[in-house]
Amino acid sequence: MAINWFKYSSPASFYSLAGKMIPFFTVIAIILLAAGLYVGFFIAPTDFQQGEAYRIIFIHVPAAWMSMFLYVVMAFWAGIGLAFNTRLSAMFASAIAPTGAMFTFVALWTGSLWGKPMWGTWWVWDARLTSELILLFLYIGFMSLQAAIDDPRRADKAGAIIALVGVVNIPIIYFSVQWWNTLHQGASVSVNQAPSMATTMLLGMLIMVFASWMYSIAIILKRIRVIILERESHTSWVAELQKKGTVS
Amino acid sequence: MGGGTAKKGNRIMNWSNISEFFSMGGYGLYVWGSYGVTLICVVGEILLIKNRHRTLEKQYGLTHDINKKETTHETTS
């Protein structure tokens, strides 16, 4: 029985699928958030060097990882939308951008508040911090470019160009700590060698990473439903939704 | 970031009282400044979407009535 996955590439059927998935991801996000914060604050011990300030790691690292990951996903959907002219893919890129920008801002903000006690400065033009700031500008550039163009389809194409060109910045951020000698520390957690972190600290951080994944999926699906309604308002299926008064 | 050495005594839960928790070893401003702004960003994002949804429904409310007027117009003509 071959499942016709392409059925969900039509905004109408994806709209209802997304509606069914949102509560599922929201509940998991809340549970993981509670677990992550509990491990982070009540089980992970005091750090012998940084004392309690290191507990910012439980939102700084997930936010930073999400800011990079969401940009790659956004660029992927923007590329697909550009290549195959599929409306829903482009809508996905527009739905991801605000959440990615939010995580980038949170990564910069929490990093700066962590840097002040530990490095003695809110900001330094360090390779890692500067490339993350450029990432924030890329997100804002993507959103404002799309907002500046009236016709959604042309806005998608223009946005796709920025998204695809900006992808080069992601490896720069990731490897910046190795290519330049940065004030920002190197990767404590990487795929090719064991993490140099205490297990409970690592556990708290990883739970928060999954919590931010679940949150991102839920919030992006919620936003894409609104985008679908906005863009497909001329269609008959949206008109039916209105008549039934279930434009939820 | 080396492993933490848990403090002695019965503080298995890290904090013996609430005020110690908020002072966060003297780094309260930085830790709660980070968590507070993150909370504001997340809640703000959720409210923005809800607001966007409401303006949409109001818009549909309008188009809904326009559709009704149009259909009645057609039937009478």
Side-chain angles (χ1 to χ4, degrees), chain A residues 66-93:
Chain A
M66 284 313 293
S67 69
M68 291 191 279
F69 177 67
L70 285 178
Y71 191 92
V72 172
V73 174
M74 178 176 90
F76 169 76
W77 283 119
I80 297 281
L82 191 65
F84 300 107
N85 226 342
T86 42
R87 299 195 314 274
L88 189 65
S89 324
M91 288 185 207
F92 239 109

Short mmCIF file of all heavy atoms in Angstrom, two decimals, chain A residues 66-93:
data_model
loop_
_atom_site.label_atom_id
_atom_site.label_comp_id
_atom_site.label_asym_id
_atom_site.label_seq_id
_atom_site.Cartn_x
_atom_site.Cartn_y
_atom_site.Cartn_z
N MET A 66 19.72 25.69 17.59
CA MET A 66 18.48 25.84 16.83
C MET A 66 18.61 26.95 15.80
O MET A 66 18.11 26.84 14.68
CB MET A 66 17.31 26.18 17.77
CG MET A 66 16.78 25.03 18.59
SD MET A 66 16.50 23.54 17.65
CE MET A 66 15.16 24.04 16.62
N SER A 67 19.33 28.04 16.15
CA SER A 67 19.42 29.15 15.19
C SER A 67 20.13 28.69 13.92
O SER A 67 19.72 29.03 12.82
CB SER A 67 20.20 30.31 15.82
OG SER A 67 21.56 29.98 15.98
N MET A 68 21.14 27.84 14.08
CA MET A 68 21.84 27.37 12.88
C MET A 68 21.00 26.33 12.15
O MET A 68 20.82 26.38 10.93
CB MET A 68 23.19 26.76 13.27
CG MET A 68 24.19 27.78 13.77
SD MET A 68 25.82 27.10 13.93
CE MET A 68 25.71 26.28 15.50
N PHE A 69 20.42 25.39 12.91
CA PHE A 69 19.68 24.29 12.29
C PHE A 69 18.46 24.83 11.54
O PHE A 69 18.19 24.48 10.39
CB PHE A 69 19.24 23.31 13.38
CG PHE A 69 18.39 22.19 12.87
CD1 PHE A 69 18.93 21.23 12.01
CD2 PHE A 69 17.06 22.10 13.21
CE1 PHE A 69 18.15 20.21 11.52
CE2 PHE A 69 16.27 21.07 12.73
CZ PHE A 69 16.81 20.12 11.88
N LEU A 70 17.74 25.78 12.18
CA LEU A 70 16.53 26.30 11.53
C LEU A 70 16.88 27.06 10.26
O LEU A 70 16.13 27.04 9.29
CB LEU A 70 15.75 27.21 12.50
CG LEU A 70 14.98 26.48 13.59
CD1 LEU A 70 14.29 27.47 14.51
CD2 LEU A 70 13.97 25.51 12.99
N TYR A 71 18.06 27.70 10.24
CA TYR A 71 18.42 28.42 9.02
C TYR A 71 18.64 27.44 7.88
O TYR A 71 18.20 27.66 6.74
CB TYR A 71 19.68 29.28 9.22
CG TYR A 71 19.88 30.22 8.07
CD1 TYR A 71 19.36 31.51 8.10
CD2 TYR A 71 20.53 29.82 6.92
CE1 TYR A 71 19.49 32.36 7.03
CE2 TYR A 71 20.66 30.66 5.84
CZ TYR A 71 20.15 31.92 5.90
OH TYR A 71 20.26 32.76 4.82
N VAL A 72 19.29 26.33 8.19
CA VAL A 72 19.54 25.34 7.14
C VAL A 72 18.21 24.77 6.63
O VAL A 72 17.98 24.64 5.44
CB VAL A 72 20.45 24.20 7.68
CG1 VAL A 72 20.54 23.08 6.67
CG2 VAL A 72 21.83 24.74 7.99
N VAL A 73 17.29 24.50 7.56
CA VAL A 73 15.98 23.95 7.15
C VAL A 73 15.24 24.99 6.32
O VAL A 73 14.65 24.69 5.29
CB VAL A 73 15.15 23.56 8.40
CG1 VAL A 73 13.76 23.14 7.99
CG2 VAL A 73 15.84 22.46 9.16
N MET A 74 15.34 26.27 6.74
CA MET A 74 14.67 27.34 5.99
C MET A 74 15.23 27.44 4.58
O MET A 74 14.49 27.51 3.60
CB MET A 74 14.87 28.67 6.72
CG MET A 74 14.26 29.86 6.04
SD MET A 74 14.43 31.34 7.01
CE MET A 74 16.00 31.94 6.40
N ALA A 75 16.58 27.38 4.49
CA ALA A 75 17.20 27.49 3.17
C ALA A 75 16.82 26.28 2.31
O ALA A 75 16.57 26.42 1.10
CB ALA A 75 18.71 27.56 3.32
N PHE A 76 16.70 25.11 2.94
CA PHE A 76 16.31 23.91 2.20
C PHE A 76 14.92 24.10 1.58
O PHE A 76 14.74 23.94 0.37
CB PHE A 76 16.31 22.71 3.15
CG PHE A 76 15.68 21.48 2.57
CD1 PHE A 76 16.37 20.71 1.63
CD2 PHE A 76 14.39 21.10 2.94
CE1 PHE A 76 15.78 19.58 1.07
CE2 PHE A 76 13.80 19.97 2.39
CZ PHE A 76 14.50 19.22 1.45
N TRP A 77 13.96 24.52 2.41
CA TRP A 77 12.59 24.67 1.88
C TRP A 77 12.53 25.81 0.87
O TRP A 77 11.82 25.74 -0.12
CB TRP A 77 11.60 24.91 3.01
CG TRP A 77 11.26 23.68 3.75
CD1 TRP A 77 11.46 23.42 5.08
CD2 TRP A 77 10.69 22.48 3.20
NE1 TRP A 77 11.06 22.15 5.38
CE2 TRP A 77 10.58 21.55 4.25
CE3 TRP A 77 10.29 22.10 1.92
CZ2 TRP A 77 10.08 20.27 4.06
CZ3 TRP A 77 9.78 20.82 1.73
CH2 TRP A 77 9.68 19.92 2.79
N ALA A 78 13.32 26.87 1.12
CA ALA A 78 13.32 27.97 0.15
C ALA A 78 13.87 27.48 -1.19
O ALA A 78 13.34 27.80 -2.26
CB ALA A 78 14.16 29.12 0.69
N GLY A 79 14.91 26.65 -1.12
CA GLY A 79 15.50 26.10 -2.35
C GLY A 79 14.52 25.22 -3.09
O GLY A 79 14.33 25.33 -4.30
N ILE A 80 13.83 24.35 -2.33
CA ILE A 80 12.83 23.45 -2.95
C ILE A 80 11.73 24.30 -3.60
O ILE A 80 11.34 24.08 -4.74
CB ILE A 80 12.22 22.52 -1.89
CG1 ILE A 80 13.29 21.61 -1.30
CG2 ILE A 80 11.05 21.73 -2.47
CD1 ILE A 80 13.65 20.44 -2.15
N GLY A 81 11.29 25.32 -2.87
CA GLY A 81 10.22 26.17 -3.41
C GLY A 81 10.65 26.87 -4.67
O GLY A 81 9.89 27.00 -5.63
N LEU A 82 11.93 27.29 -4.69
CA LEU A 82 12.46 27.98 -5.88
C LEU A 82 12.57 27.01 -7.04
O LEU A 82 12.17 27.29 -8.16
CB LEU A 82 13.83 28.57 -5.54
CG LEU A 82 14.44 29.55 -6.53
CD1 LEU A 82 13.62 30.82 -6.63
CD2 LEU A 82 15.86 29.91 -6.10
N ALA A 83 13.07 25.80 -6.75
CA ALA A 83 13.35 24.85 -7.83
C ALA A 83 12.06 24.27 -8.39
O ALA A 83 11.86 24.20 -9.60
CB ALA A 83 14.23 23.72 -7.29
N PHE A 84 11.14 23.88 -7.50
CA PHE A 84 9.95 23.17 -7.98
C PHE A 84 8.71 24.05 -8.00
O PHE A 84 7.61 23.58 -8.29
CB PHE A 84 9.68 21.94 -7.11
CG PHE A 84 10.81 20.97 -7.11
CD1 PHE A 84 11.62 20.84 -5.99
CD2 PHE A 84 11.11 20.22 -8.24
CE1 PHE A 84 12.69 19.96 -5.98
CE2 PHE A 84 12.18 19.34 -8.24
CZ PHE A 84 12.97 19.21 -7.12
N ASN A 85 8.88 25.31 -7.63
CA ASN A 85 7.74 26.23 -7.67
C ASN A 85 6.57 25.72 -6.83
O ASN A 85 5.41 25.90 -7.20
CB ASN A 85 7.27 26.38 -9.13
CG ASN A 85 7.05 27.85 -9.41
OD1 ASN A 85 6.94 28.63 -8.47
ND2 ASN A 85 6.98 28.22 -10.66
N THR A 86 6.89 25.07 -5.72
CA THR A 86 5.82 24.54 -4.87
C THR A 86 5.50 25.58 -3.78
O THR A 86 6.37 25.97 -3.01
CB THR A 86 6.29 23.25 -4.19
OG1 THR A 86 7.63 23.46 -3.76
CG2 THR A 86 6.24 22.09 -5.13
N ARG A 87 4.26 25.97 -3.72
CA ARG A 87 3.87 27.08 -2.81
C ARG A 87 4.11 26.71 -1.36
O ARG A 87 4.63 27.49 -0.57
CB ARG A 87 2.39 27.40 -2.99
CG ARG A 87 1.99 27.86 -4.37
CD ARG A 87 0.62 28.49 -4.37
NE ARG A 87 -0.35 27.72 -3.62
CZ ARG A 87 -1.05 26.71 -4.14
NH1 ARG A 87 -0.85 26.35 -5.38
NH2 ARG A 87 -1.93 26.04 -3.41
N LEU A 88 3.77 25.45 -0.99
CA LEU A 88 3.85 25.10 0.43
C LEU A 88 5.31 25.13 0.93
O LEU A 88 5.57 25.56 2.05
CB LEU A 88 3.26 23.69 0.66
CG LEU A 88 3.09 23.29 2.12
CD1 LEU A 88 2.06 24.19 2.81
CD2 LEU A 88 2.69 21.84 2.25
N SER A 89 6.26 24.75 0.08
CA SER A 89 7.67 24.79 0.51
C SER A 89 8.06 26.21 0.83
O SER A 89 8.70 26.48 1.86
CB SER A 89 8.57 24.25 -0.59
OG SER A 89 7.96 23.21 -1.28
N ALA A 90 7.65 27.14 -0.03
CA ALA A 90 8.02 28.54 0.22
C ALA A 90 7.33 29.04 1.49
O ALA A 90 7.91 29.78 2.28
CB ALA A 90 7.62 29.38 -0.98
N MET A 91 6.10 28.58 1.70
CA MET A 91 5.40 29.00 2.92
C MET A 91 6.16 28.50 4.15
O MET A 91 6.24 29.16 5.18
CB MET A 91 3.99 28.41 2.93
CG MET A 91 3.04 29.03 1.95
SD MET A 91 1.41 28.30 2.23
CE MET A 91 0.69 28.47 0.61
N PHE A 92 6.74 27.30 4.03
CA PHE A 92 7.50 26.74 5.16
C PHE A 92 8.68 27.64 5.49
O PHE A 92 8.97 27.93 6.65
CB PHE A 92 8.01 25.33 4.82
CG PHE A 92 7.49 24.31 5.78
CD1 PHE A 92 6.56 23.39 5.36
CD2 PHE A 92 7.92 24.28 7.09
CE1 PHE A 92 6.05 22.46 6.24
CE2 PHE A 92 7.41 23.36 7.98
CZ PHE A 92 6.47 22.44 7.56
N ALA A 93 9.38 28.10 4.42
CA ALA A 93 10.53 28.96 4.68
C ALA A 93 10.08 30.22 5.41
O ALA A 93 10.69 30.63 6.41
CB ALA A 93 11.20 29.32 3.35
#
